[in-house]
Amino acid sequence: MDIKISKAEGSKLKNLNLVNIPFGRYFSDHMLEADFENGEWKNVEIKPYQPLVLSPSIAAIHYGQSIFEGIKAYKNEEGEAFIFRPEDNFKRFNLSAERMQMPTIPKEIFMDGMRALIDLDRNWIPQHENSSLYIRPFMFATDEMIGVRPSDNYKFMIILSPTGPYYNEPLRIYIEEKYVRAAAGGVGFVKAAGNYGASLYATSKAKKLGFDQVLWTDAVEHKYVQECGAMNIFFIIDNIVITPDLSMGTILNGVTRQSAITLLSDMGLTIEERPLSIDEIIDAYKNGKSIEVFVAGTAVTIALIKELQYKDFSMKFDIEKFEHALLLKKWLSDIRETKCADKYNWMWKI
Ligand SMILES: *Cc1c(COP(=O)(O)O)cnc(C)c1O
């Protein structure tokens, strides 16, 4: 795959301090762009980060054919750069594309393009602890026509954003039982842009009540937990790891989720991927069982939960006692920062 590269004059990095940089606010010097036209991908180009010029009629704006991914690149103490499990994101991107009736993207554009872009903007990968370069590949429909039908033309892009730690504090979570993130048969299992727009109303209500995020429940009975914001949720109850299973198609199959399952079972814990009801959690809490609760996702990695609110019942957890979650968090960040053996070959060297 030929990738045309035009370099930026100078670097915006000169005016930026990469220590403790907030998530998603700053973008690197370059971006990748490719077009899908007449049934094929073309014009693959890396160029200076810049605004797009688009018709107000493009299909993505009106009818929402738009998908994305989130991946992270790290730099170790020796200055070597690595990407965490990008092939899993590549596969999921094409799963999202299929579900949204969009063209899939070839590996040469997604993977080789990402590698070339990061190689060029390598200085943008922060070298500090808990910091990384967030990689945002995305695709959207560009037909200039109003009408509900799949677009013929699309744009694929990758942009890069340096980032520090996402949540510094353990989370307080509100269990949502009215609004719904995903229902069986819907698009909850893919990273379709509309999912996130649809989540904002409930999330902002929870924030007004002083919570950090909502824990979504199932669309039918509001009885089973699903995901927490845009992160997968885990409970460890009396040393058994429980996380909602993927069978209904309402849960995003997180790369961090998969990684957590692998490492927790390597630590000797039993993993149960199955429906988990709020009643079961409350029973365990009332019976004084040991409970660890945390979320997993690329942006946060692993974030601990210190409080769950269900109706007017509040469950508080002692995060100092989260033995396994803390070990997992440390192990995962050591792998990502290449401070320990990468026994599962998750790190992809640039
Ligand atoms: C992206 C995302 C996750 C986490 O997936 P990762 O691959 O671990 O980043 C979980 N839930 C939702 C809804 C998401 O969009």
Side-chain angles (χ1 to χ4, degrees):
M1 175 62 58
D2 265 350
I3 303 177
K4 189 180 155 205
I5 298 183
S6 17
K7 289 193 184 168
E9 288 175 26
S11 172
K12 296 181 282 184
L13 256 185
K14 285 200 294 281
N15 309 315
L16 199 64
N17 178 357
L18 290 184
V19 177
N20 268 334
I21 196 160
F23 184 83
R25 303 259 190 92
Y26 299 92
F27 298 94
S28 73
D29 291 322
H30 298 91
M31 63 187 197
L32 179 134
E33 209 175 317
D35 296 312
F36 187 81
E37 291 168 9
N38 298 322
E40 58 175 341
W41 286 102
K42 51 176 73 156
N43 313 332
V44 188
E45 191 179 349
I46 290 174
K47 54 167 117 169
Y49 184 92
Q50 59 191 274
L52 301 171
V53 178
L54 296 164
S55 162
S57 64
I58 62 161
I61 296 175
H62 301 274
Y63 301 112
Q65 269 186 304
S66 179
I67 59 171
F68 67 94
E69 267 304 326
I71 311 171
K72 274 181 173 175
Y74 298 82
K75 202 182 260 178
N76 65 16
E77 278 163 12
E78 290 75 46
E80 299 168 306
F82 297 87
I83 311 182
F84 183 72
R85 305 189 71 171
E87 295 219 17
D88 296 85
N89 298 87
F90 164 66
K91 287 181 198 143
R92 191 170 67 193
F93 192 75
N94 278 340
L95 186 72
S96 299
E98 275 174 35
R99 179 62 180 82
M100 297 303 290
Q101 196 62 30
M102 299 163 84
T104 55
I105 185 115
K107 206 168 177 175
E108 302 85 70
I109 299 180
F110 191 101
M111 298 295 283
D112 300 351
M114 179 166 60
R115 181 191 282 274
L117 179 64
I118 291 179
D119 192 27
L120 190 61
D121 279 348
R122 172 183 287 273
N123 291 340
W124 285 83
I125 309 174
Q127 210 164 353
H128 323 285
E129 214 175 322
N130 293 321
S131 296
S132 57
L133 185 68
Y134 185 78
I135 307 166
R136 169 51 61 89
F138 57 106
M139 191 208 300
F140 57 95
T142 55
D143 273 15
E144 299 179 4
M145 200 199 101
I146 289 181
V148 182
R149 57 155 183 76
S151 197
D152 291 326
N153 299 287
Y154 296 85
K155 198 178 272 300
F156 170 74
M157 301 189 68
I158 306 178
I159 55 177
L160 307 174
S161 177
T163 174
Y166 196 83
Y167 290 116
N168 291 308
E169 295 290 318
L171 306 176
R172 298 182 62 226
I173 303 295
Y174 181 82
I175 302 178
E176 177 58 58
E177 5 150 46
K178 178 174 178 195
Y179 303 104
V180 166
R181 192 193 84 89
V187 295
F189 68 104
V190 299
K191 275 184 127 67
N195 283 344
Y196 306 85
S199 74
L200 298 177
Y201 188 77
T203 310
S204 84
K205 287 188 91 171
K207 286 193 174 159
K208 278 187 199 130
L209 296 172
F211 296 92
D212 299 297
Q213 261 302 345
V214 294
L215 175 55
W216 301 107
T217 51
D218 70 282
V220 182
E221 297 174 272
H222 297 295
K223 197 172 151 193
Y224 297 95
V225 301
Q226 296 220 309
E227 293 195 65
C228 183
M231 299 166 288
N232 294 115
I233 189 141
F234 284 80
F235 290 79
I236 306 179
I237 303 177
D238 278 353
N239 293 335
I240 295 183
V241 180
I242 309 165
T243 192
D245 63 287
L246 307 173
S247 63
M248 298 295 278
T250 53
I251 288 177
L252 201 288
N253 185 5
V255 178
T256 319
R257 175 186 183 277
Q258 288 300 345
S259 308
I261 289 174
T262 302
L263 298 184
L264 289 167
S265 72
D266 193 327
M267 282 157 56
L269 296 175
T270 303
I271 317 284
E272 295 181 2
E273 291 180 64
R274 61 165 172 86
L276 174 61
S277 69
I278 300 162
D279 287 347
E280 183 178 344
I281 298 164
I282 291 177
D283 273 352
Y285 184 83
K286 287 188 171 161
N287 289 324
K289 292 191 177 177
S290 103
I291 306 180
E292 299 181 34
V293 199
F294 61 92
V295 287
T298 295
V300 292
T301 313
I302 301 291
L304 309 180
I305 292 178
K306 67 174 178 189
E307 187 180 344
L308 277 179
Q309 176 86 22
Y310 180 64
K311 299 182 197 281
D312 46 20
F313 184 61
S314 165
M315 289 176 266
K316 299 212 168 62
F317 306 100
D318 185 357
I319 58 159
E320 309 273 300
K321 295 194 182 135
F322 280 17
E323 185 192 347
H324 302 102
L326 288 166
L327 268 176
L328 168 69
K329 189 176 161 80
K330 167 113 180 41
W331 191 3
L332 200 51
S333 76
D334 283 353
I335 292 175
R336 290 171 173 227
E337 292 169 12
T338 62
K339 286 182 187 153
C340 71
D342 175 20
K343 91 186 236 200
Y344 296 101
N345 281 319
W346 285 340
M347 303 311 290
W348 205 66
K349 194 164 186 215
I350 297 288

